[in-house]
Amino acid sequence: RLRALNRLQVILQHLKMSKQTDSTTEVLLEKKGGAGIITLNRPKALNALNLSMIQQIYPQIKTWEQDPETFLIIIKGTGGKAFCAGGDIRAITEAGKVGDKLTQDFFIGEYRLNNAIGTCKKPYVALIDGITMGGGVGVSVHGHFRVATEKTVFAMPETAIGLFPDVGGGYFLPRLSGKIGYYLALTGCRLKGRDVLKVGIATHFVESEKLPALEKDLIALKSPSKEKIADLLNSYHMKCTIDQEKEFVLDEHMEKINSLFSANSMEEIVKKLKQDGSPFAMKQLETINKMSPTSLKLTLRQLREGASMSLQEVLQMEYRLSQACMKGHDFYEGVRAVLIDKDQSPKWKPAALEEVSDEFVDNCFKPLGKDDLKL
């Protein structure tokens, strides 16, 4: 009887341990050769980032950065569907409803991680195979190398959920050629495969099934410099012929995108789209009309200001905006409509662009004093 009880205790102890290790295996951090490897490991959640993952990755990057035996950092996702589909929006929504500190802690942690990647002294290689959106863009786009595949799907879809393209979107989007970054930010347009390279989000394009071999070769590099890593990535890139002949999906629309999205206000962009009247313009108008008017106004200003800021200044500005969104209405309503009830019909407040005052927008950008993001 006693032995049975003991055995039960051992089993329970094991279960308890496996439960604990489960939460820590949401992200795998390992050293192979001279490479530090970060594996996002929540395949069922499309590797969405939660706070505990962020809190494990950040110090590890800082440690590897200082370690003379670590020559490069690789980040990838598991499950074959996604690199990382974003941040754990549901958890943030739940927290926001009850006034939990997670609505601050998550964004502080995430933006500090984005900055650590943007300033990392060691070459940082993101294998963005599969869905790469929102927070997934934040942990890849600021690094030195981003390797897309035929499975990559990129988007910054935040205006559809009452948010804005954060994680440094205000830095990298306005720096893409022409006004394409503004277009991607406001419409949430999705780019696939080689188009992610052509727009400048990815630096290289490699066949998905070649990634394990590429990773092996990266790990095998002897004391790799940034140049050696670039050479290796280039050699894989040159050998990849998938969709080589295909034109950039937005090629024929670039002139329109550059003129229509160069307006100084959202109202003006809408007016230009209406005046243009082409099927392309009408389709964009239809998309923009579904987005949160507040988000659209915040986003346009975020990108216009971010165009001349450093990454650190952008992340500070975005933290202010994130806290304004947490206090507002549209974020919770957007998450409800898109992710929870999935009825796809959010009731935005205010419901029209004209009702979002400049004064309101100005307030969202105001410094938070001692609560500002410290990087």
Side-chain angles (χ1 to χ4, degrees):
R1 180 92 190 274
L2 195 65
R3 265 169 71 189
L5 200 68
N6 275 350
R7 199 161 39 204
L8 188 66
Q9 277 176 323
V10 170
I11 291 168
L12 285 171
Q13 190 56 41
H14 264 290
L15 282 172
K16 206 165 138 201
M17 278 172 66
S18 72
K19 248 215 172 102
Q20 283 170 338
T21 50
D22 266 2
S23 65
T24 52
T25 53
E26 292 178 328
V27 57
L28 311 171
L29 303 161
E30 51 195 333
K31 186 82 189 299
K32 286 186 187 169
I37 298 173
I38 302 163
T39 308
L40 307 175
N41 190 32
R42 293 180 73 204
K44 285 200 177 93
L46 299 177
N47 299 325
L49 283 179
N50 59 28
L51 185 58
S52 86
M53 290 161 80
I54 290 166
Q55 285 169 339
Q56 290 172 70
I57 298 168
Y58 177 82
Q60 188 62 73
I61 287 179
K62 288 296 186 193
T63 305
W64 281 333
E65 197 175 16
Q66 299 304 319
D67 174 25
E69 299 298 303
T70 304
F71 300 105
L72 80 152
I73 297 170
I74 298 170
I75 186 168
K76 59 181 182 168
T78 51
K81 263 190 166 166
F83 163 66
C84 170
D88 196 346
I89 293 293
R90 277 176 182 238
I92 301 163
T93 313
E94 295 310 312
K97 285 181 189 161
V98 295
D100 184 313
K101 228 162 91 322
L102 181 69
T103 53
Q104 292 151 355
D105 296 346
F106 179 85
F107 291 103
I108 290 172
E110 186 177 31
Y111 297 175
R112 278 189 183 152
L113 175 58
N114 300 150
N115 185 53
I117 292 164
T119 56
C120 189
K121 291 180 186 67
K122 298 283 164 82
Y124 184 96
V125 183
L127 306 176
I128 55 172
D129 189 30
I131 298 165
T132 305
M133 297 184 183
V137 178
V139 292
S140 55
V141 77
H142 305 297
H144 306 102
F145 304 106
R146 287 90 61 191
V147 182
T149 74
E150 72 280 9
K151 290 186 187 171
T152 305
V153 182
F154 161 91
M156 294 299 278
E158 289 82 1
T159 54
I161 55 163
L163 210 54
F164 57 95
D166 64 336
V167 298
Y171 182 77
F172 78 87
L173 288 163
R175 283 167 173 78
L176 299 176
S177 71
K179 290 291 171 189
I180 198 156
Y182 291 77
Y183 166 72
L184 294 172
L186 296 168
T187 65
C189 167
R190 293 180 174 206
L191 294 176
K192 294 182 180 146
R194 220 176 252 275
D195 290 332
V196 181
L197 171 81
K198 289 182 178 156
V199 79
I201 302 287
T203 56
H204 295 81
F205 186 80
V206 173
E207 211 170 323
S208 181
E209 59 178 41
K210 295 279 196 295
L211 289 183
L214 171 62
E215 192 184 323
K216 242 193 188 136
D217 286 347
L218 282 167
I219 292 165
L221 283 174
K222 293 278 167 272
S223 62
S225 59
K226 217 192 256 178
E227 290 68 39
K228 277 189 195 167
I229 292 167
D231 289 343
L232 178 63
L233 292 172
N234 289 339
S235 74
Y236 269 83
H237 174 81
M238 298 311 283
K239 283 185 204 131
C240 182
T241 55
I242 295 176
D243 294 338
Q244 220 170 14
E245 304 306 308
K246 233 173 83 186
E247 261 197 25
F248 177 45
V249 68
L250 295 171
D251 236 3
E252 52 176 322
H253 305 302
M254 274 319 295
E255 238 173 278
K256 276 200 195 305
I257 287 172
N258 290 338
S259 73
L260 297 169
F261 287 85
S262 63
N264 299 334
S265 71
M266 263 329 291
E267 287 89 343
E268 213 180 313
I269 290 176
V270 166
K271 195 172 132 196
K272 280 184 144 184
L273 288 168
K274 282 180 182 160
Q275 282 170 344
D276 182 279
S278 65
F280 175 76
M282 289 296 103
K283 204 174 147 211
Q284 305 324 310
L285 188 61
E286 196 187 326
T287 302
I288 281 172
N289 282 335
K290 290 182 185 145
M291 305 303 186
S292 153
T294 302
S295 290
L296 290 168
K297 286 210 167 173
L298 294 181
T299 299
L300 183 59
R301 175 148 163 202
Q302 170 206 1
L303 266 55
R304 287 172 60 95
E305 297 209 355
S308 57
M309 287 178 167
S310 68
L311 177 61
Q312 290 70 36
E313 290 167 331
V314 165
L315 290 166
Q316 230 169 1
M317 162 178 77
E318 290 180 355
Y319 181 69
R320 292 166 187 168
L321 294 179
S322 77
Q323 296 312 293
C325 290
M326 293 304 106
K327 293 187 181 78
H329 164 273
D330 280 6
F331 171 64
Y332 302 97
E333 175 57 14
V335 171
R336 180 205 65 72
V338 175
L339 297 176
I340 297 170
D341 299 342
K342 299 188 174 160
D343 58 23
Q344 310 302 332
S345 52
K347 307 276 177 282
W348 305 122
K349 281 183 197 163
L353 285 167
E354 295 70 34
E355 293 165 28
V356 184
S357 71
D358 292 345
E359 186 188 8
F360 172 82
V361 174
D362 287 344
N363 275 331
C364 296
F365 283 83
K366 281 206 172 111
L368 301 172
K370 66 173 179 26
D371 293 330
D372 256 330
L373 176 66
K374 290 160 199 69
L375 292 169

